[in-house]
Structure formats: structure tokens, C-alpha cells
Amino acid sequence: MKAMTFYFNPQRKPCNLSLLVVMAAILTAFVHGDAQSCPSSSSSSQSNSTGSAESESGSTSTSTSKAIKTMKLYSNIERIDRQLAHLGYSPDQDLSQETLSPIDSMHYLGDDAIEAAIGLLLPTVDAKVLDVGSGFGGPARYMASRGCNVVALELQPDVSAKGKELTQRCNFSDQVTHITGDILKDVSNENVEDSESDSRSAPLWTEREQYDMVTSWLVFLHITEKNKLYQTSYDLIKSGGHIYIEDFYRRTAPEGENVNNNVNACGFTEEESTILSRDIYCEGSSLHTREEYIQALEEVGFVNVTFVDMTGSWSAYVKARYEDFLEKKDSFVEIHGMDGFESLSHFFNAMNTLFHGNNLGGVRIHGTKK
């Protein structure tokens, strides 16, 4: 069946002011180091973004986990505790999914994005979902609140541990299992140890054809081994199950010409390539065009591939987020300090620059396994 493309244009305001301040409070400083203008797709430091804890040989997964910390999106994770304390919650107090929802997710458009994924599962009851790059577990807990059973797979051990703690405080441990693991290495048995049980056999979460859906929000963009990632996801999904991805893509004008003609071989300007590598931990050369993305998913076997262009909505979102953050400077600094404000302001401005440069696009893309 021919792939379909839609353009998302929500009528609601792209971001809520109070929501922004809370989200900003748990994001952290970004390193402003040097970067190549067009990084090589063969770079091992960005080969995957859902790595595991160190195995006997000191695995690449561990080095990747440390490397992504240069982005520092998830370092200083005590910020989420600081925000909860500011809201009046003690460290051992139970939480609700609704309380955490504004502060425990890093994707765009909040719960609406998760609802879009859940809609693919209806009318499946007790669906089993693998969330790749689950972060603090926000989407996993939201899906659990809607009746799903979720394996939350996360690269960074400290972030995974914090997600598990938050899940316990929300009383969702029966429905959400947090794993520090690597979808590319663990599923192929490249990591011989299971971090959960110290078993030398493949962990249970890697068994083929067990998930009704594989989801990922703004994580696949960090992974350069795209074809292996799609094939592995396909293998894990049941027949009739789905893949749902929110991701970046490389925009092109009609007839294959770049939207912005001032671009390098990667399809981005020098400034955009630097921002992607330095601030987003993303190699511009690894991002697909619309046509390439659809083709790649179809080649591994997905059908009914649907490409929902989110560029307009996300562009409005990141612009409003940056402007609102500047307006709320004083309240943020009061809780998290000036250094945190300046570094986060840099990141929000960087994302605003990327989405208004006309070469970077945003997408919700999903398909079905036969």
C-alpha cells in the first residue's frame, strides 16, 4: 500500500506557560564544545542511544551512555526532585501520573503525543509496549495509566533508576518494567550479561514477536545505525503490531532541491550541522528525508507506513517555549540558578534556530507489521 503523508496542525496553543516552566526545571545545561560541520555517520560515539550498563569487556554501550552525557540533557537529575520539592512533595511521598506528566517527559506537545500512539493500539486490551529511550518513564507511565504493560528501555543507568523510582511512587510497578539496556546490542546478544539478573542468556525483554507496539519519542535521531534499528524493532513486534516514532527528518523542496540552498553535503547549513552535533547529539548526515524514511521502514517489512509532518506544529512549539522561558527567567533562576538558566536558554534558542531554518523537519511516523 502506498505510504501516506499528513500535516499536523493542532488548534490549541502549542505550549502552556506553567507547563513550560516545570519542564524547563528538569532539563539541564548543555556543553558548548567544538563539533564537525558534517559529522561522519560511522562515528561510534553515536551508534545507539539505548545502551546498557558495562559488561565484562567494558562494552561500547557504556561508552555511549557516557558520551551522550556531553549533551547533558539528563545530567543533574536531582533537578526533577528539586522541582517536586518546590511543588511541595517530600522524597518518599506517593505521586500521581497526572502530577508527574508535565515534568517527566522530554518530547513535544505533552500527552497529546502519547495519545497519538495509544490510538494505534485500540481496541487491543492489555497491550504490551516497548518504549525505546524511555528517559524518566513519563510516556511509559502514561501508557500504563491507559491499561498498557510497558517495558521502559533506557540508555543511562542513573536516568533509568530515577524512572524506576518515580514509577514506584506512582504505584505503576506492576505495569511498567524499567530496563537499562541496549536495543541494538542486547537483542543481537552482543551484550552477554543481563543487567537485571546477571544471567548470561538473553534477557526476556529481547524475545522476538512479543510486543504489540514499539514506541520512541525523539530518540531515534541519536542513533546512526538506522537500518539495524528498524529491523530489530520489526523483529520484536508481533504480527499485526505497530511501530510509532517521533523523530527529526531532513526536509527537501520539490524536485529534490534543498529548502535552504546554503547547505552542505549533509543537507544543512554549517550552523545547523554544528548545532545538531554539539547541542542535540545528532548527526545531520544520518537523518532521512521523507522518502528515505518511508522506504527504510517498508524495506524491513512494515506496511501502511504513515508519515505525519509535525514541522509546523513543532516549530510553533519551540518558538513559544523559548519566548515563555525568557519571560519566566526570575522564577526559574530562583529554583535552579543562573547557570542553569543560561545553558537551557542556549538550548531552547538552538532548537528554535533549527526548526526555523527550513532544513530540519519533525515527524510522527508509524507502520504495521504484517
Side-chain angles (χ1 to χ4, degrees), residues 45-327:
S45 68
Q46 290 180 262
S47 62
N48 65 76
S49 69
T50 51
S52 66
E54 186 171 4
S55 65
E56 291 177 337
S57 61
S59 70
T60 303
S61 300
T62 303
S63 63
T64 305
S65 175
K66 292 178 179 178
I68 202 170
K69 287 294 188 186
T70 63
M71 182 179 171
K72 294 197 173 181
L73 179 60
Y74 292 117
S75 61
N76 299 322
I77 63 173
E78 69 275 5
R79 285 175 177 266
I80 197 167
D81 295 323
R82 192 180 301 141
Q83 186 64 38
L84 287 171
H86 179 72
L87 295 173
Y89 291 92
S90 62
D92 59 351
Q93 188 172 352
D94 284 351
L95 300 167
S96 68
Q97 183 272 323
E98 291 80 10
T99 297
L100 279 177
S101 187
I103 65 176
D104 63 4
S105 299
M106 303 300 177
H107 59 266
Y108 301 149
L109 303 180
D111 294 343
D112 287 350
I114 313 173
E115 283 288 345
I118 292 173
L120 298 177
L121 292 170
L122 298 176
T124 305
V125 178
D126 297 328
K128 187 173 184 180
V129 180
L130 174 65
D131 187 28
V132 179
S134 56
F136 295 119
R141 284 186 292 274
Y142 186 92
M143 287 188 284
S145 74
R146 297 292 305 276
C148 298
N149 295 292
V150 187
V151 173
L153 181 65
E154 170 55 39
L155 165 68
Q156 300 164 92
D158 55 345
V159 176
S160 184
K162 175 57 66 175
K164 183 176 182 178
E165 174 196 320
L166 294 173
T167 293
Q168 290 171 339
R169 292 175 67 181
C170 288
N171 297 307
F172 276 128
S173 295
D174 289 343
Q175 290 176 261
V176 179
T177 302
H178 289 268
I179 299 289
T180 304
D182 183 334
I183 189 172
L184 297 186
K185 291 184 174 296
D186 290 351
V187 175
S188 62
N189 294 326
E190 292 181 40
N191 287 339
V192 296
E193 287 191 309
D194 175 8
S195 60
E196 296 292 316
S197 65
D198 292 329
S199 169
R200 298 185 70 86
S201 61
L204 293 177
W205 71 265
T206 66
E207 291 182 359
R208 269 61 168 179
E209 299 189 345
Q210 64 169 303
Y211 297 102
D212 296 290
M213 183 161 63
V214 169
T215 60
S216 190
W217 283 270
L218 299 180
V219 171
F220 280 25
L221 61 96
H222 302 304
I223 305 174
T224 59
E225 296 178 80
K226 305 292 190 187
N227 292 336
K228 183 178 181 182
L229 177 61
Y230 305 148
Q231 184 64 64
T232 302
S233 299
Y234 184 87
D235 292 342
L236 291 168
I237 297 170
K238 299 176 183 177
S239 177
H242 309 279
I243 189 169
Y244 177 97
I245 310 163
E246 294 204 355
D247 202 0
F248 293 168
Y249 79 98
R250 179 163 51 88
R251 299 178 69 196
T252 56
E255 301 181 2
E257 296 181 4
N258 292 102
V259 176
N260 186 326
N261 292 322
N262 234 350
V263 300
N264 55 30
C266 302
F268 296 97
T269 67
E270 296 301 312
E271 178 188 22
E272 290 167 343
S273 291
T274 298
I275 291 173
L276 283 167
S277 178
R278 178 190 65 196
D279 298 326
I280 317 301
Y281 198 75
C282 171
E283 295 184 9
S285 59
S286 74
L287 294 179
H288 294 311
T289 63
R290 173 195 173 277
E291 292 76 14
E292 290 169 345
Y293 215 145
I294 292 170
Q295 180 180 352
L297 291 181
E298 290 179 337
E299 284 181 349
V300 300
F302 288 107
V303 297
N304 300 326
V305 176
T306 302
F307 188 103
V308 183
D309 195 315
M310 302 296 295
T311 306
S313 178
W314 289 4
S315 296
Y317 176 89
V318 297
K319 182 177 186 292
R321 178 178 66 174
Y322 179 52
E323 292 174 348
D324 287 348
F325 182 66
L326 295 180
E327 290 180 6

